[in-house]
Amino acid sequence: MEQYKKEFVEFMVECNVLKFGDFTLKSGRKSPFFMNAGAYVTGSQLKRLGEYYAKAIYAHFGDDFDVLFGPAYKGIPLSVVTAIAFSDLYGKEIRYCSNRKEIKDHGDTGILLGSKLQDGDRVVMIEDVTTSGKSIEETFPIVTSQGDIKIVGLMVSLNRMERGLSTNASALDEIQQKYGFPANAIVSMEDVIECLYNKECLGQILIDDKLKAAIDAYYEEYGVK
């Protein structure tokens, strides 16, 4: 496992973004783990988050793209901090773009904020996590309606490695099958378990045998076969 992945797992725990317990997801599934990217709140946390995204995007897609597109709302700060990190780490100026939930009819009008999309733009979409792919379903037509746009791929922070809502494939695989571009994550739950199962992290064991059994049971029911 790449070092940045191990560091990112510990970073999620440190920021109280990755939690373990009993959670009810939007999908209605009962999950023993939960990720909330809204818990990244300080300047130093956001700076590091952008660096992890930039490293993962560079590892999967290189730097041959023009725009980072972050769907509203959580994708907006993600696209901004990652564009900054990409400039710092790789010396490449990447524009950021996001959609608005409501079309603005005065001043900076339209459905987009940040950089306008142009014919020939190559776009990487960026999100926190996806379980059903619903946000991509909403934003894909917005991006592609702006002109001759090529979507290079999608990057999320955590691959939950569970079935999507419509097929037995994972949510990320569903996106690739439906839209034709690759969908990747900084880390997967397999990486998380490798890093944390019966191993001390920040002075505690977060995934002990009991929690590991609960995670295994969850994947027995909802995991990708």
Side-chain angles (χ1 to χ4, degrees):
M1 183 191 306
E2 295 90 332
Q3 181 64 24
Y4 78 85
K5 291 186 175 184
K6 181 177 184 297
E7 292 174 359
F8 184 66
V9 172
E10 295 173 349
F11 175 60
M12 286 193 292
V13 172
E14 176 188 328
C15 296
N16 207 29
V17 166
L18 181 62
K19 302 179 181 181
F20 300 96
D22 296 303
F23 306 95
T24 301
L25 308 179
K26 282 185 179 180
S27 61
R29 295 173 179 174
K30 305 289 187 180
S31 173
F33 58 92
F34 181 71
M35 190 211 136
N36 174 27
Y40 297 117
V41 293
T42 71
S44 61
Q45 289 173 349
L46 290 168
K47 181 178 184 294
R48 289 177 63 191
L49 179 63
E51 290 170 350
Y52 288 122
Y53 266 101
K55 289 176 182 178
I57 289 171
Y58 190 81
H60 286 280
F61 305 127
D63 64 0
D64 189 18
F65 65 99
D66 310 290
V67 181
L68 282 166
F69 184 92
Y73 289 104
K74 287 182 180 178
I76 298 174
L78 292 179
S79 61
V80 171
V81 297
T82 304
I84 295 170
F86 220 91
S87 175
D88 288 343
L89 292 174
Y90 305 112
K92 177 74 180 285
E93 292 290 10
I94 302 294
R95 292 143 46 211
Y96 98 91
C97 180
S98 296
N99 64 298
R100 294 184 170 98
K101 290 291 189 179
E102 304 83 18
I103 297 176
K104 189 177 179 185
D105 60 5
H106 62 281
D108 182 19
T109 60
I111 191 68
L112 301 179
L113 57 86
S115 173
K116 302 301 182 186
L117 296 177
Q118 308 164 5
D119 284 346
D121 275 343
R122 294 167 56 82
V123 176
V124 170
M125 302 184 78
I126 185 170
E127 282 203 286
D128 56 346
V129 66
T130 183
T131 301
S132 67
K134 184 171 177 56
S135 64
I136 296 298
E137 183 178 306
E138 295 171 348
T139 55
F140 178 80
I142 294 174
V143 173
T144 54
S145 68
Q146 303 303 309
D148 181 18
I149 310 296
K150 177 178 176 58
I151 298 180
V152 174
L154 167 69
M155 182 62 66
V156 302
S157 58
L158 176 67
N159 179 2
R160 289 183 59 94
M161 298 179 63
E162 60 192 82
R163 297 194 306 275
L165 299 184
S166 58
T167 73
N168 285 327
S170 72
L172 294 183
D173 285 341
E174 281 185 357
I175 289 170
Q176 182 162 339
Q177 292 165 8
K178 183 173 182 178
Y179 300 105
F181 55 79
N184 300 102
I186 302 175
V187 293
S188 67
M189 273 306 295
E190 185 176 31
D191 296 325
V192 170
I193 293 168
E194 181 181 336
C195 286
L196 300 182
Y197 177 43
N198 278 340
K199 296 176 183 176
E200 189 172 294
C201 178
L202 302 179
Q204 57 184 322
I205 301 294
L206 295 166
I207 302 181
D208 57 14
D209 290 339
K210 181 179 179 181
L211 183 57
K212 177 64 162 53
I215 293 173
D216 289 344
Y218 182 79
Y219 279 113
E220 184 63 31
E221 185 168 2
Y222 298 117
V224 178
K225 302 299 183 183

